[in-house]
Each structure stands twice: as C-alpha cells, then as structure tokens.
C-alpha cells in the first residue's frame, strides 16, 4: 500500500515539475508580449483577449474532462502574475512633449506608486516633499503636471499654498474625497484641473483591472492623454461628478470603515479569545474577522480623515445607528416572525444581487479554505 | 506588430493546452490515490503531505525563476479539485458492524450531505422525514446511530419526541447551537450521546479541511470511530464544551449575522444604487458588499433561530449597540485625536493578528480582483 502510494505520488511530483516549467515558459512569453505592448502603447489589460482566452480554455477543458472552473481559476491566477510582470517592462509615453511632472507628497505610499508608473512611462518626475516648500516656486515654475498626493486632512491646505502654475499645467489630486479638493484646485489654478481617486491601496502589485474614479474639473481635452495613460497601465476608468462620488463614498468608505472600527472596538472590550474564535471559524467567519482586524494594521489618521471628511458621513452613520436600534426591537419578545418579514423585505430589495453575491462569495470562500494551513 | 503579438499569443495558447493536459493527468493520478486511500481508510487530507509538496514546489520554483507564491496558489487550487474528486471514490467503513443509521431530517440540505458521505463510506442509511413519524418506532428500533438534522427551532422538540432507542445506539445532533440540544439528548437517551456542529454550509464541495466542532455528551469511547470517520473524510475536529461553544458562537454567528442583517436593512432603507456602488468599488468593498448581500439569499428562519437562540446572544448584540453609540461620540466636535487613540487601543488589542490579517486578506483581495470580469 505504501509502495503503491509512493509510486503515484512520485508521478504527481513529476507532473508538478512539468507544470512549473510550463509556467516559467509562459511568464517569459508574457514578458515578450509586454515589451511589444510597451513599444506600441497598448494597454496591458485587454478584457476581450482575456475573455476569449478563458472561453477557449474552458471549452478545451470540457473536451478532455477537466472541470472548466479549475482551468479558469488557474489561468486567472497566472494572468495576475503576467500583469505584474508586464508592469515592469515600461509603458509607452503618450505625451512625450510634457514638461516635468511634480508629485507633491511623492515620497508617500500612493505618491511612490504614481512616481514609479510615470517614470516607467518615460516622464520626468520630480518630488516636492514637506521639507521642499522653500524651493516650491522653482520646482513648479516649469511643471507640465502637478499631482497632489498628501493626507486628506492637509490636501486643501497644500493646494491653497501652491504658487502660480503655468497656464497649461494640469493640476491633479488623488484624495479619497473629491468635492472640496476639486473646488480648492479650481480656485487656485485657472488651467486644466482633474480629480482622481485610485480605488486601490499602495500595496497593489499592478494597476491592471483596478478602478480609478475621475471627476472632471476644467479643460478635459488637456488631460485626456492622462486618462489614456492610466488605461495603458491597465486601469478601468469610472467617471462621476465630485458630489456623487462623495455621496457614494459615504457608504463605500465612511460607513463601512466606521462600522468595522466599532466592531473591532467591541471585540476588544469584550476581550474575546481570538485564537479560540479562529480555531472554531468557518471560512466565512475567518474572512470576516480578517476584514475587521486588517483595519487596525493601518493608519488611523487616514480613517479619521475619511470618516470625518463631511457632516453627511456622520449623519449617515447616525442613521445606521438608529436603524440598528430599531432592528434590535425585532429581537425582543422573541419575535421571529417580525425579523423574518424584515429580512425578506431586504432580500427583495437586493433582488438578483443576493443570489449573485452568494455564488460569487462561494468561490471566494473556497479560496479561503484552499489557503488554510 | 500585430503579427508579432499573434505569434506570441499562439505560443501562449499552446502552453495553455499543455497545461490543461497536465492537469487532466494529475486529476487521474489523484483519483488513483483516492482509491488506494479509500481501500485503506486513510484520510483524504494529510496536512504534512500537503505542506511538504508545497515546500518542495516553492523551492523548485525559485530555482527556475517562477514566483513561489504563484505555484503555491496554483497547486492549492488544483488540490481543492483533488479533494473533491477523492471524495467521490468512497471511503473506508471504519465500523462495518454498525446497524442502520437513521437521519432525522435526512432530506434537508445538511442531512443530505451526511447521508451521501455515510453511504459512500459503506453504511446503511435510512431517512426519517416529517411525514414518517408514524413509522418512527419501527425505523428506530434497530438503529445503530441516530442523527438529528432538523431546523434549530424544532431540534429540542424532535429530540423529545424520540421513542426509546437501543441502549448502544449513538444519538447525535448537528445543530448550530449545542448546549440545549445536547442536554435534551442526554435527557431522552441513556446511551452514547454526541453533539456535532459542522462549520460549513451544505454547498461545500468536499469536507476536506472543513472544521467540525464536537461536544462530548456520554460514552465517548462508543463514538470514537465516528470522529475518526469524519477525519477520513478530511475534516478537522475541534473539541469544546457545549457552553463554551455557544459563548463563542454568540460572536461567530449571532452578533455577526445580526450586524450583517442591520447593514443590509440600512442599505435597503437608504435605497442606495447598488450598481453604482459596485462600479465604484475597490475589491475590498465589493467583497464586503457580497458578504452582506449573500445573507439575504439564504433562509431567514435559520438566521432568526441562530440569533434568538439565547438571551446571551441578544445581550451581546445590545452591548455592541451601546458601544457603537459611544463610538459615535468620538465623531462629534470633529475629535480626530480621540478617534485615533481609541483606534490605537484596539490595534494593540489585536496585536500581531492585525498585521497577519492584513497580509492574509491581501492575498484574498488579489483573488477577488483576479475574478473581475
């Protein structure tokens, strides 16, 4: 029995070696694709090519009796690596004649991401950091583009400190709130103005498939090339007005971060035994616990800034608190029927999304389980 | 340029075909391993074998310039498929002399999972469903094991309805709460009693790596084989007292489900535009929305039962509500410093777990991004 198992396992190990060699070859080919794309300014993420490749592999898989989801998951994982590696090859310079780009706060985490990508795309990038303000006028006098990438709570203040910029200079900010920074930029600069909100953290391996939200400020024709440059990096663009952006972010950021904060606070004050919770956890709870805990490994100032960026955020959080209190009343007198009716009402509101989310998260929970050690 | 790209892509497609063939071969070998294991009653999930295989592939990967995380992720995904396929081959019968097993509620979702696994393991399984109570005495008179797998709110009632069971019959329940069902079983039956809580949903492809929590009732030596049988299926066992189980589940289930419910309720009452939120979402928010929405694709009765299973659960939820109210006070007068201090206190409480969760969830968020269409 042991001999039989060992023989089979040796064969599996051989296959895994062959698998590894194929992956190595594939990464080399993808690197070559990256170079061709870089020369010609083609985007590294092409949804149609990806979809076609996956569809053909799924079909092929069915023919030879491999579960199509298996090959799709494997290829998607391999493609992530490909995007990261295409990412290193440099990108086409869509605006070669642009004068230097100055990133204010360019040594911060997000500033460094943009510095790297712009440099890889052939632009001349300069950094204006906290200590460099005495030289600001000199640094900015010839700027083709200025990117403000500083903590939210100083964004407007930094913008108002800017010396006069060349008329055709593009002024951009990267803050997670958009309305006030955009207005501040429009107030100090008469030229092209653009608000960007990259919907990813600085630890992202590649911008491929990541969403960048943008809010037009002034003279969009002047920064059209920048939006295209973002697409060359693989980003998906989403255009929205600054006000609508902030309304949506009240949910996506402020409310979510605050409820996560409150949940973490509650766990800490109840002083639960984290190890025991984890030992007992299903994949879904482990994931939910991780989503709470991860907040507290990050910068509290950033979260304070995001949550307290507007009165509307706080009002939304208070309405949530009030509804929570009303929901608790459903639990009193063990009134299951009332709870069930309320639940069904929400289910109707979610509509087809409830089922869609269930299916989507199932795949993900399998992945969480795959990673268990 | 087009020709150059096409040539490279053709080569990539060739590699993907070869990849597919390797995967097909690997699945066949794994099926053969499954048959050997099934004959000898070996567990389908062997953590040491898995860890050794991954470590050796990672090393090999480094040698040939493939990122070790890539091969580890690919192999983990492939192994999931392997567990599912080993799962179909049948399992060794650890207790061949056992008289028939009766699953009360065996046509329910979780009942069917156990029916399938026990049948695949060579046991004779009978089902006692709602309409079968007139035949209950006859069905149960010769039972070697009785598994109660009915909705929580009827579990105790079903247990109290049981006719006398043979003295050596093992009585087991699968409810998500453990203290009251376990006491109910101990009260009606003088023989071996065991409480099980499978920490996974009925849609799980394989039990491999899934946690099954167990609470000893009476005569553990009589059901030791069942715990081993669960391990043959690949489960990880976790032993705990029924009281401690329920205390932990107040957090893992009741509080978590209720806050998710309240969040969904809030989104519905605010009537947010889900499509717009999704279009703007970073992977993390998409995931969080999915975790909320998925609740509402499920059975409200189950959640009502879990949340309202004890006064302690409701008390815990009320304490959370109170703390949430206190946390809101941190937001008044724009008091960022107070928020930051409170945040840091929680971060200290999470200790090394905050960073660990950040790293763990990062991998997962990449996977969410991989799956974007």
């Amino acid at each position: 029995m042991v001999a039989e198992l060992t023989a089979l396992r040796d064969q599996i190990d051989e296959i895994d070696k062959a698998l590894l060699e194929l992956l190595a070859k594939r990464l080399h080919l993808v690197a070559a694709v990256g170079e061709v794309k870089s020369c010609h300014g083609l985007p590294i993420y092409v949804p149609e090519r990806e979809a076609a490749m996956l569809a053909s592999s799924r079909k092929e898989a069915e023919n030879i009796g491999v579960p199509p989801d298996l090959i799709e998951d494997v290829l998607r994982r391999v493609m992530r690596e490909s995007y990261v590696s295409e990412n290193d090859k440099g990108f086409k310079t869509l605006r070669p004649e642009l004068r230097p780009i100055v990133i204010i706060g360019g040594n911060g985490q997000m500033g460094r991401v943009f510095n790297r990508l712009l440099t890889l795309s052939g632009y001349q990038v300069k950094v204006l950091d906290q200590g460099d303000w005495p030289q600001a006028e000199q640094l900015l006098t010839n700027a083709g583009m200025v990117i403000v990438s500083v903590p939210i709570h100083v964004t407007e203040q930094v913008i108002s400190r800017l010396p006069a910029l060349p008329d055709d200079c593009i002024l951009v900010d990267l803050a997670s709130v958009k309305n006030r920074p955009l207005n501040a930029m429009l107030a100090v600069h008469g030229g092209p103005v653009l608000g960007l909100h990259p919907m990813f953290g600085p630890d992202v391996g590649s911008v491929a498939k990541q969403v960048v939200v943008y809010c037009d400020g002034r003279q969009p024709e002047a920064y059209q090339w920048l939006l295209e440059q973002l697409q060359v990096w693989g980003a998906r663009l989403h255009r929205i007005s600054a006000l609508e952006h902030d309304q949506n972010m009240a949910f996506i950021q402020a409310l979510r971060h605050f409820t996560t904060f409150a949940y973490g606070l509650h766990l800490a004050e109840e002083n639960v035994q984290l190890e025991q919770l984890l030992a007992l956890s299903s994949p879904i709870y482990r994931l939910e616990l991780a989503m709470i805990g991860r907040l507290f490994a990050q910068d509290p100032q950033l979260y304070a800034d995001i949550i307290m960026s507007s009165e509307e955020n706080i009002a939304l959080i208070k309405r949530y608190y009030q509804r929570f209190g009303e929901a608790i009343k459903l639990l009193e007198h063990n009134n299951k029927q009332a709870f069930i009716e309320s639940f069904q009402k929400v289910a109707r509101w979610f509509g087809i999304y409830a089922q869609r989310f269930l299916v989507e998260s199932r795949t993900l929970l399998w992945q969480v389980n795959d990673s268990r050690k």
Side-chain angles (χ1 to χ4, degrees), chain A:
Chain A
M1 184 262 292
V2 172
E4 209 178 339
L5 263 189
T6 307
L8 287 167
R9 285 179 171 169
D10 285 348
Q11 289 182 62
I12 291 177
D13 291 345
E14 280 310 306
I15 287 195
D16 289 350
K17 267 186 210 163
L19 201 69
L20 209 45
E21 279 160 28
L22 278 181
L23 290 179
K25 275 192 209 156
R26 199 185 194 282
L27 290 177
H28 281 122
L29 286 170
V30 165
V33 169
E35 273 167 41
V36 176
K37 284 188 182 170
S38 152
C39 288
H40 298 87
L42 297 173
I44 66 170
Y45 168 54
V46 187
E48 300 74 27
R49 158 79 184 151
E50 186 174 300
M53 193 164 64
L54 290 173
S56 116
S57 283
R58 288 185 68 98
K59 213 175 139 189
E60 202 95 41
E62 272 185 283
N63 289 340
I64 64 167
V66 168
D69 285 348
L70 172 62
I71 190 69
E72 174 162 347
D73 288 351
V74 167
L75 286 180
R76 283 188 182 278
R77 176 61 186 87
V78 172
M79 283 188 283
R80 182 207 309 167
E81 215 65 41
S82 310
Y83 294 133
V84 175
S85 98
E86 285 188 39
N87 209 16
D88 292 337
K89 301 296 153 205
F91 300 98
K92 187 170 181 182
T93 322
L94 295 191
R95 192 72 159 192
E97 69 278 18
L98 189 76
R99 297 189 307 273
I101 299 171
V102 179
I103 305 183
I104 303 181
N107 291 330
Q109 290 189 297
M110 194 51 89
R112 281 205 300 268
V113 171
F114 275 79
N115 192 340
R116 191 177 70 83
L117 288 165
L118 289 164
T119 305
L120 275 169
S121 307
Y123 299 98
Q124 192 194 338
V125 180
K126 297 177 181 178
V127 167
L128 190 159
D129 229 10
Q130 279 176 324
D132 305 326
W133 281 98
Q135 293 85 50
E137 212 152 328
Q138 188 197 331
L139 262 164
L140 294 165
T141 183
N142 191 34
M145 179 159 77
V146 172
I147 300 178
V148 180
S149 177
V150 297
I152 302 177
H153 67 287
V154 294
T155 298
E156 288 167 69
Q157 185 194 329
V158 162
I159 291 169
S160 67
R161 269 181 89 174
L162 286 175
L165 304 173
D167 283 350
D168 63 346
C169 176
I170 304 164
L171 181 57
V172 184
D173 86 303
L174 304 179
S176 309
V177 293
K178 291 268 66 84
N179 195 44
R180 288 169 55 173
L182 196 67
N183 287 332
M185 290 193 296
L186 288 167
V188 301
H189 180 52
V193 166
L194 171 66
L196 288 182
H197 182 186
M199 297 299 295
F200 50 83
D203 57 356
V204 77
S206 153
V207 180
K209 298 190 182 185
Q210 300 287 353
V211 174
V212 176
V213 179
Y214 73 98
C215 305
D216 285 319
R218 188 190 292 126
Q219 297 178 32
E221 65 287 359
Y223 53 74
Q224 188 53 37
W225 67 269
L226 176 61
L227 299 176
E228 284 162 26
Q229 190 76 59
L230 285 163
Q231 284 175 303
V232 166
W233 298 342
R236 303 153 172 247
L237 299 180
H238 190 92
R239 180 172 175 262
I240 195 167
S241 75
L243 269 175
E244 255 187 302
H245 168 278
D246 288 359
Q247 280 161 8
N248 278 287
M249 290 304 149
F251 286 93
I252 294 182
Q253 300 187 320
L255 177 65
R256 192 65 212 166
H257 294 329
F258 187 75
T259 55
T260 303
F261 164 74
Y263 206 95
L265 185 70
H266 182 55
L267 291 178
E269 305 228 328
E270 293 281 324
N271 202 16
V272 295
Q273 299 303 309
L274 261 183
E275 273 97 353
Q276 193 163 45
L277 285 187
L278 284 172
L280 290 169
S281 284
S282 56
I284 190 167
Y285 192 69
R286 186 181 179 91
L287 173 60
E288 292 184 319
L289 214 45
M291 298 304 265
I292 295 159
R294 82 192 299 278
L295 183 85
F296 297 96
Q298 297 175 73
D299 177 16
Q301 177 77 53
L302 174 68
Y303 291 104
D305 286 351
I306 288 177
I307 292 166
M308 300 186 211
S309 67
S310 77
E311 284 305 315
E312 288 74 19
N313 288 354
I314 295 172
L316 178 65
I317 290 167
K318 285 185 177 168
R319 288 202 298 284
Y320 172 73
Y321 175 65
Q322 197 189 330
R323 293 214 171 92
F324 198 102
E326 286 159 19
I328 285 180
K329 290 190 193 127
L330 297 173
L331 303 182
E332 276 158 11
H333 324 295
N334 217 21
N335 189 352
K336 287 188 185 171
Q337 202 43 47
F339 175 86
I340 290 173
E341 278 162 25
S342 181
F343 188 103
Q344 286 165 334
K345 222 171 94 185
V346 180
R348 280 194 296 278
W349 180 81
F350 268 99
I352 50 161
Y353 280 100
Q355 187 59 34
R356 196 178 289 175
F357 285 148
L358 184 66
V359 172
E360 195 175 307
S361 59
R362 191 179 289 157
T363 313
L364 209 79
L365 294 174
W366 281 331
Q367 288 172 334
V368 181
N369 206 46
D370 290 349
S371 313
R372 286 197 152 187
K373 271 149 201 159

